[in-house]
Amino acid sequence: MKDLFTLNQRRILITGSSRGLGWAMARTMAEAKATVILNGRDRDLLEKRRKELEAQGYQIDTEAFDVAETKNAITGMQAIADRHGGLDGLVNNAAIQHRQPIQDFELSDYDRLMGINLRGCFLLSREAARLMQKKGSGRIINIASVMGRQARKTVSVYTTSKGGIVGLTKALAVELGPQGIRCNAISPGFFATEMNTVLVEDPKFSAFVEGRTPLERWGQPPEIAGAAVFLMSEASSFVNGHVLTVDVGLSAQV
Ligand code: GCO
């Protein structure tokens, strides 16, 4: 059988990939033979991650910028294009969380969260589409969340941003599809990432997660990576505008 899941030297940028789900996807895409471009705000950590993967023989590059900083993000995308001759794939993974009851939520926190989670996703998608349209092909994966469709208390702005990601994914899919660029989203459930350490370490919250998921456990970051490779590879050549939920059945359970 043709290896539908190989990423075969595709040049793929993953934002927020020095830790958590982004790092898990970067590692697995490198194993699938992609040329992975790591991104984050911490240059030293990016360098450490690059060395870790290069030591295993993978093709790795880094480009440090904050997706909320327009000028730096645009310059960073251009630098990637200059070094690699273009871009085949983008994973919009960079995101932050801020937990606060609505009445206490500061607008400055709203702006900071939306600037990274949603505006950053739009900005990177626009810049990537400009590069991808030149060769008439490309893949964009947006990391949404089960909070894009369901809500829980104290994460109203994160939920808003992830709901926006679902809408943006469909808009990108429809508008860029005719140019050979496909866009899909992944909606993770509860994963034991650094963003959620405070929740994982809270016995009450962990009991809630275990009670709300058929497998009664948190997800581990590597468990997101297969879905990302699928959506980046030829195996998903007819998939566009889809939101692939990876939540071990949380959204299937009442
Ligand atoms: C929270 C968590 C969640 C999940 C994420 C899953 O505080 O509720 O951070 O938002 O981790 O949404 O995709």
Side-chain angles (χ1 to χ4, degrees):
M1 182 180 92
K2 186 175 151 236
D3 182 358
L4 286 175
F5 294 90
T6 179
L7 295 182
N8 211 5
Q9 311 315 319
R10 289 187 185 190
R11 303 152 297 183
I12 300 170
L13 167 65
I14 304 167
T15 64
S17 47
S18 56
R19 54 168 64 94
L21 299 182
W23 168 237
M25 289 186 281
R27 229 181 15 231
T28 305
M29 287 191 175
E31 289 163 7
K33 303 193 183 65
T35 296
V36 171
I37 300 141
L38 301 170
N39 162 264
R41 292 174 284 185
D42 181 338
R43 285 179 193 285
D44 295 341
L45 182 52
L46 281 179
E47 214 27 49
K48 179 171 169 284
R49 294 305 203 187
R50 183 178 65 77
K51 289 194 179 114
E52 201 173 320
L53 290 181
E54 275 188 344
Q56 297 170 53
Y58 300 127
Q59 298 292 321
I60 307 295
D61 190 9
T62 63
E63 189 63 38
F65 58 81
D66 181 336
V67 298
E69 288 171 13
T70 309
K71 228 168 128 308
N72 293 346
I74 293 173
T75 308
M77 288 294 274
Q78 192 48 57
I80 291 167
D82 293 347
R83 287 201 301 273
H84 295 277
L87 192 68
D88 300 302
L90 167 65
V91 180
N92 282 305
N93 168 73
I96 57 172
Q97 178 61 281
H98 185 82
R99 302 178 181 99
Q100 197 90 32
I102 287 172
Q103 296 94 322
D104 303 335
F105 222 103
E106 296 296 340
L107 288 181
S108 55
D109 290 320
Y110 175 96
D111 292 341
R112 190 169 56 84
L113 195 146
M114 292 297 272
I116 291 174
N117 293 17
L118 185 53
R119 184 179 181 280
C121 180
F122 176 83
L123 174 59
L124 271 283
S125 299
R126 185 191 75 178
E127 297 306 297
R130 287 176 175 172
L131 296 172
M132 293 169 175
Q133 71 183 19
K134 291 175 186 163
K135 59 188 180 66
S137 70
R139 294 289 175 91
I140 297 173
I141 300 173
N142 296 325
I143 305 303
S145 165
V146 290
M147 297 296 162
R149 286 203 182 118
Q150 295 159 272
R152 77 176 190 86
K153 291 175 187 161
T154 73
V155 290
S156 60
V157 180
Y158 181 91
T159 301
T160 305
S161 73
K162 293 301 186 177
I165 292 247
V166 171
L168 177 58
T169 297
K170 293 173 181 174
L172 290 165
V174 166
E175 192 159 331
L176 302 179
Q179 300 167 48
I181 303 166
R182 295 183 195 76
C183 181
N184 296 287
I186 295 174
S187 261
F190 286 107
F191 277 77
T193 58
E194 282 181 33
M195 180 195 278
N196 289 336
T197 303
V198 66
L199 303 178
V200 175
E201 291 173 354
D202 174 348
K204 213 162 136 252
F205 197 91
S206 270
F208 160 72
V209 169
E210 287 152 17
R212 284 287 285 111
T213 50
L215 269 67
E216 299 177 351
R217 66 175 177 83
W218 286 84
Q220 293 306 318
E223 294 182 287
I224 202 77
V229 170
F230 165 66
L231 289 175
M232 195 57 81
S233 70
E234 277 316 297
S236 60
S237 60
F238 204 59
V239 181
N240 189 35
H242 183 62
V243 180
L244 178 54
T245 298
V246 183
D247 69 355
V248 89
L250 177 143
S251 44
Q253 177 172 309
V254 291

